Amino acid sequence: HEYAAQNGISVLEMALAFVQQQPTIDVAICGVNDLDQFEALLESSKRKVDIGSFAQFAIEHAQMLDPTQWDFL
């Protein structure tokens, strides 16, 4: 959220940019709960966001990557 705010983009725009930059993904399927979410998705999909490398957001901590190790207490 902090990166998106500092760069004047929404978290939705950032997420869509990530998906669009993946060479193995041809189409993104998104679900919405209401008209407001649908309109936000449409607007966000029109804006082309170039974040460059997403490597800066990589998570390598094994406990965070493995849901069986998540502590829900």
Side-chain angles (χ1 to χ4, degrees):
H1 293 266
E2 183 178 322
Y3 179 89
Q6 289 175 349
N7 289 280
I9 59 175
S10 71
V11 175
L12 177 57
E13 289 169 333
M14 191 171 158
L16 288 174
F18 174 78
V19 171
Q20 291 170 338
Q21 291 181 19
Q22 302 307 305
T24 57
I25 298 176
D26 295 322
V27 176
I29 299 173
C30 303
V32 297
N33 292 318
D34 56 39
L35 183 58
D36 289 337
Q37 287 181 357
F38 180 70
E39 289 172 345
L41 182 61
L42 280 179
E43 287 304 311
S44 293
S45 68
K46 292 177 186 175
R47 184 170 177 197
K48 299 301 176 206
V49 176
D50 182 17
I51 296 177
S53 172
F54 279 88
Q56 62 186 318
F57 304 110
I59 297 173
E60 297 180 10
H61 191 276
Q63 190 172 9
M64 290 184 73
L65 295 173
D66 182 357
T68 64
Q69 296 185 29
W70 294 353
D71 183 13
F72 292 103
L73 298 176

